Amino acid sequence: MPKDEPTYELIDFGDGRKLERFGAWVLDRPAPGENGPPSHPDLWKSATAQYTGGRATEGTWKPAIKKWAESSVDFPVKLAEDVDFRILLSPLPSGQIGVFPEQLGNWQWIAKQSIKTPAAKVLNLFGYTGGSTLAAAVAGAEVTHVDAAKSMVARARENAVLSGLSEAPIRWIVEDAVKFCQREVKRGNFYDAVILDPPSYGHGPKGENWSIKRDLLPLLSLCGELMAGHPKFVLLTCHTPGMGAAELSAYLSDGLFGHCGQPPECGRLNLKTSGDRKLVSGEFARWPG
């Protein structure tokens, strides 16, 4: 988050872990790939809770959630002057807490692009708790939010209410992303922009299997059809080990534009400590750059 925003802080990282502050919570969670030593080992003793295991979904919270997190944290996200939204944070069994702070720059970009395209129709796939949906909606876009998990869609709707966007033009869809896009193509529906943050692996509400290596390119081709070859903006992010920004950009180029057109902007999603140490937390590709 911005340096003048006290709500979030990356305190330290190392040995495959990261130490973060969300308001009053100081959390010790997995950070795969960070094998160097932490800079300030003494600070880790201040953790409110630790999510055990080397990766999200592979551990448990210690102490148990009920002993330290009886209520959710109200997390403000500032996009620009007088433009913001809010997200409820609470610890989930997967080790996530409802927000990815490294996405702030992308949320600001989404709002900027949405303002440039009045009444834009935006499709947000793998929408999770709604950060990208709210960034587009608060900037005036009409958004279709799709996620396979009913609980995550419910949480995203809560965040819309908290952000004063309960009456915003948002459709909330519990569905497998690929199946939804296939149906939208058959219905003849179109969108101005698409946002995707796919997992490495996943399951749809009816047991559909997802693998990013196998399924991302066909899904992007469907997205290209839904934008009729004339996208206003596209954002693709991922947190998949071994998939770099250049590879993500190539997927986006091939899936949407073939080998023609302006290449997407791409880069890493980073978090920084107060000492400017960078923790790589994902990759992005977006168009226009």
Side-chain angles (χ1 to χ4, degrees):
M1 305 304 288
K3 290 186 178 180
D4 59 353
E5 174 58 77
T7 304
Y8 174 80
E9 179 187 6
L10 175 62
I11 300 171
D12 197 13
F13 61 89
D15 293 337
R17 313 288 302 178
K18 58 185 174 181
L19 188 68
E20 303 166 287
R21 180 170 64 84
F22 294 89
W25 297 345
V26 176
L27 303 181
D28 175 353
R29 300 193 294 159
E34 290 302 327
N35 298 318
S39 295
H40 305 285
D42 54 312
L43 296 179
W44 294 71
K45 299 175 183 178
S46 66
T48 306
Q50 180 189 65
Y51 188 79
T52 63
R55 303 184 67 84
T57 75
E58 295 180 352
T60 57
W61 288 102
K62 293 184 179 181
I65 293 171
K66 64 181 180 180
K67 294 184 178 181
W68 61 274
E70 294 183 358
S71 60
S72 297
V73 170
D74 184 351
F75 188 82
V77 180
K78 189 173 182 62
L79 302 177
E81 191 68 30
D82 299 324
V83 181
D84 59 18
F85 62 86
R86 308 185 83 81
I87 288 181
L88 285 173
L89 303 190
S90 59
L92 304 173
S94 65
Q96 305 295 353
I97 60 170
V99 70
F100 292 99
E102 63 270 19
Q103 291 281 12
L104 175 63
N106 282 327
W107 291 335
Q108 293 170 333
W109 184 86
I110 289 168
K112 182 179 179 180
Q113 297 299 324
S114 298
I115 290 170
K116 287 182 180 179
T117 309
K121 292 184 64 177
V122 177
L123 175 61
N124 183 19
L125 301 173
F126 311 98
Y128 192 50
T129 56
S132 293
T133 291
L134 300 181
V138 77
E142 176 185 330
V143 188
T144 298
H145 175 106
V146 181
D147 197 280
K150 184 177 181 180
S151 60
M152 291 298 99
V153 174
R155 177 63 64 86
R157 296 187 74 158
E158 286 184 63
N159 290 331
V161 172
L162 181 66
S163 301
L165 294 169
S166 58
E167 301 300 319
I170 304 173
R171 284 200 300 162
W172 305 101
I173 308 293
V174 179
E175 180 60 285
D176 173 74
V178 174
K179 284 189 174 180
F180 177 79
C181 289
Q182 290 171 337
R183 289 173 181 150
E184 287 291 86
V185 168
K186 289 180 180 179
R187 294 174 184 133
N189 290 335
F190 295 97
Y191 295 86
D192 297 305
V194 175
I195 300 163
L196 312 90
D197 184 30
S200 303
Y201 303 96
H203 298 283
K206 295 182 180 179
E208 302 91 342
N209 290 318
W210 165 269
S211 167
I212 194 169
K213 292 284 189 180
R214 181 192 66 210
D215 299 322
L216 179 56
L217 190 57
L219 177 58
L220 287 171
S221 295
L222 285 170
C223 291
E225 291 186 60
L226 289 174
M227 292 183 288
H230 299 287
K232 298 298 184 182
F233 63 92
V234 184
L235 170 65
L236 170 63
T237 59
C238 82
H239 301 76
T240 300
M243 183 173 282
E247 185 177 0
L248 213 60
S249 177
Y251 271 109
L252 194 57
S253 292
D254 290 348
L256 296 183
F257 307 111
H259 297 290
C260 304
Q262 181 180 352
E265 174 190 5
C266 64
R268 289 177 165 177
L269 302 174
N270 293 313
L271 292 170
K272 288 184 180 182
T273 67
S274 59
D276 281 337
R277 291 181 67 215
K278 288 184 180 180
L279 172 63
V280 177
S281 301
E283 316 288 339
F284 75 87
R286 61 194 187 195
W287 184 93

